[in-house]
Amino acid sequence: MKAFFQDRLKTHQKHMMRYMQYVLNDHFVLIMLFLLGGIGFYYSNWLKTLSPGYFLGAPLILIIWIASLHIGRFASLAKPADQIFLLPKEKQMRTYLSSAFLYSCIFPFVALLLISAFTMPLVVVSTGKPFITFFFYLFSLWGLKISHLEIERMSIFQDMKKARNNAYFLWMIFTIIILALSLWFQPFLGTIISIAQIVLFHKLCWQSMNVALDWEEMVNEEQARLHRIYQFINLFTDVPEISTKIKRRKYLDPLLKRISFTQNNTYLFLYARRVLRGNEYSGLYVRLLLVGGLFLYFVAERWFALGIGVLFIYLIGFQLLPLYQQFQYVPLTKLYPLKEKQKLVAMQKLLRLLLLFCALIFAGVACFSLTQWDDRLIVIVGYLLMVLFFVEGYLPYRIKKMSN
């Protein structure tokens, strides 16, 4: 079963790598470098303003670390057909699940390494602990994450819902005690207790587990985990595994009624309904709008606020570009005597409205963060110019390139 899991893992990784080339594109790398550089710059300046023994620092770190321990789920890589074809091999599934458990540790461990490294300067300022204690904090977090994954794995066995809730409650108590001891007393002591609770949870959640697998729950958990990953990838490219869901959304009808029912508005009629009633583009639009607004809320420097807002306006517009080709294979649009130019005009109208709304939201948030009126004016004008450039300049160029 170990070899079987390795084969399935290779197939899964190969499948994911196909999408990574679309996720890790130039736009994403540029934005991440810009954002991480800016966050690091502000974080460094903020630390310089803190006095040693900053009393809010340790509680803040405790909350961040507890939240970060929930990053990463148990990845069984189970498929719907497994509950039929692997059922005779249920006794051997413990070997399979052990391999899956080791694989599930990789991503959370890397995430915890980066988060603990990022928060370590604040730990030093707030608690006065030396940087060398970083390894004790890291080992404690890894130990707690191992126990968390043990609980996740336990939930795929039958009748474990109540036991899982009890185990999670116990794990949360251990987590608070261990991290509090590490931050306010001795990091080494927290690491020792963390190792002890690993042994305890391994015995409770794995070694003493003698019930049958809940195949349906295991498959559902894995499908839900993959769906979350596909939702993220869907921000960058179309993912066939995510089916588009259409919702009525009656409360948006007043917006749609503003489009007059004429032949010249055929594509605008289609595009607007596709955006407002489908969950694909509307979800993407709202998520990027919220993320961009959240970043701008913490930025108090005009050029950085201008850069973030412009980048997110561009990113939102760029991610909506595939909408142009949504109806090109619909026979009815070919039968009507519609000019091809109407599609571009409709896209420009729709994107102008959507990006202007983004620019106004970003400008409102930026005006709240910035203190000088000249800074606010620069940011607002910059956002509006970006919308103008994208809709009137970049969009026709990009669509022409796509058509060729």
Side-chain angles (χ1 to χ4, degrees):
M1 294 302 285
K2 189 174 181 180
F4 174 67
F5 177 80
Q6 292 300 325
D7 288 341
R8 180 164 285 186
L9 178 60
K10 285 180 183 176
T11 306
H12 173 73
Q13 289 175 334
K14 188 177 179 181
H15 182 63
M16 286 298 163
M17 287 306 294
R18 290 179 186 169
Y19 288 125
M20 285 303 107
Q21 60 181 323
Y22 297 106
V23 174
L24 301 176
N25 54 36
D26 295 342
H27 303 89
F28 182 75
V29 173
L30 177 65
I31 289 174
M32 289 306 296
L33 285 175
F34 190 80
L35 289 179
L36 291 177
I39 292 171
F41 175 75
Y42 277 95
Y43 181 53
S44 174
N45 287 340
W46 179 62
L47 288 176
K48 291 175 185 174
T49 64
L50 302 179
S51 55
Y54 176 59
F55 72 101
L56 286 178
L60 179 62
I61 295 163
L62 182 66
I63 294 171
I64 293 173
W65 284 356
I66 290 175
S68 63
L69 284 170
H70 292 79
I71 296 174
R73 298 285 180 180
F74 175 67
S76 66
L77 304 185
K79 297 183 178 180
D82 289 351
Q83 47 193 326
I84 298 174
F85 295 104
L86 289 184
L87 188 59
K89 292 282 186 181
E90 180 162 345
K91 289 184 179 178
Q92 288 86 355
M93 281 300 289
R94 287 183 74 89
T95 306
Y96 176 94
L97 294 175
S98 296
S99 300
F101 185 85
L102 293 177
Y103 169 70
S104 305
C105 290
I106 297 174
F107 175 70
F109 276 23
V110 174
L112 289 172
L113 172 65
L114 296 176
I115 292 171
S116 55
F118 184 79
T119 53
M120 195 58 204
L122 183 58
V123 174
V124 174
V125 172
S126 304
T127 65
K129 302 283 192 304
F131 273 102
I132 192 66
T133 55
F134 163 76
F135 296 102
F136 294 119
Y137 294 122
L138 182 61
F139 291 146
S140 299
L141 289 170
W142 281 356
L144 290 166
K145 186 59 196 177
I146 289 173
S147 303
H148 184 256
L149 289 174
E150 293 273 13
I151 298 171
E152 292 280 324
R153 183 171 59 177
M154 183 181 69
S155 64
I156 63 175
F157 288 88
Q158 290 184 5
D159 301 325
M160 283 293 122
K161 188 174 181 181
K162 185 177 180 182
R164 186 213 179 264
N165 292 337
N166 293 336
Y168 180 78
F169 179 72
L170 182 63
W171 175 82
M172 185 57 77
I173 292 174
F174 269 110
T175 299
I176 294 173
I177 292 174
I178 289 169
L179 295 182
L181 280 174
S182 302
L183 286 170
W184 279 284
F185 295 99
Q186 283 294 329
F188 179 73
L189 190 58
T191 306
I192 296 295
I193 301 176
S194 176
I195 295 171
Q197 62 89 34
I198 292 175
V199 177
L200 174 65
F201 277 89
H202 183 68
K203 187 172 180 59
L204 288 175
C205 303
W206 181 244
Q207 284 187 338
S208 60
M209 189 65 59
N210 54 6
V211 295
L213 269 174
D214 188 341
W215 290 90
E216 188 176 354
E217 178 67 18
M218 181 170 67
V219 171
N220 290 339
E221 289 282 338
E222 180 61 16
Q223 295 298 312
R225 188 187 72 86
L226 288 175
H227 185 73
R228 286 191 290 271
I229 296 173
Y230 290 141
Q231 279 184 318
F232 172 74
I233 297 173
N234 198 44
L235 291 173
F236 303 90
T237 185
D238 293 336
V239 180
E241 287 81 357
I242 294 182
S243 57
T244 301
K245 295 180 181 177
I246 303 297
K247 294 184 179 179
R248 175 71 174 83
R249 290 174 182 152
K250 193 174 180 180
Y251 54 91
L252 295 176
D253 282 356
L255 294 176
L256 295 174
K257 287 178 181 176
R258 299 179 69 86
I259 302 173
S260 58
F261 200 69
T262 62
Q263 187 171 339
N264 290 333
N265 285 334
T266 300
Y267 277 105
L268 182 61
F269 184 88
L270 293 171
Y271 289 150
R273 276 160 176 75
R274 184 71 177 82
V275 170
L276 295 180
R277 293 183 175 173
N279 61 350
E280 186 183 1
Y281 293 103
S282 58
L284 183 149
Y285 179 81
V286 172
R287 284 194 292 272
L288 289 178
L289 184 64
L290 291 176
V291 172
L294 188 64
F295 275 116
L296 288 171
Y297 178 77
F298 294 102
V299 173
E301 203 277 326
R302 64 179 176 185
W303 298 117
F304 195 53
L306 178 63
I308 286 181
V310 165
L311 275 174
F312 270 90
I313 290 172
Y314 171 77
L315 188 61
I316 291 171
F318 185 81
Q319 298 297 336
L320 293 176
L321 286 180
L323 181 66
Y324 179 79
Q325 297 177 327
Q326 285 289 304
F327 301 98
Q328 66 175 346
Y329 297 114
V330 177
L332 290 177
T333 60
K334 302 293 182 185
L335 292 175
Y336 285 118
L338 301 174
K339 294 180 180 177
E340 186 69 15
K341 190 180 178 182
Q342 189 185 125
K343 294 171 67 177
L344 174 61
V345 174
M347 277 293 291
Q348 284 180 309
K349 283 183 180 177
L350 186 64
L351 283 190
R352 189 181 297 117
L353 186 64
L354 292 173
L355 295 185
L356 269 177
F357 181 74
C358 275
L360 292 176
I361 295 294
F362 288 166
V365 178
C367 287
F368 181 79
S369 303
L370 300 173
T371 56
Q372 302 295 325
W373 278 105
D374 54 342
D375 294 344
R376 293 170 179 167
L377 185 62
I378 289 173
V379 168
I380 293 171
V381 172
Y383 294 167
L384 295 178
L385 286 176
M386 182 61 199
V387 175
L388 183 67
F389 163 75
F390 191 93
V391 175
E392 307 299 335
Y394 183 73
L395 179 62
Y397 161 76
R398 188 72 188 181
I399 286 178
K400 184 179 179 181
K401 193 175 178 182
M402 288 164 63
S403 301
N404 293 334

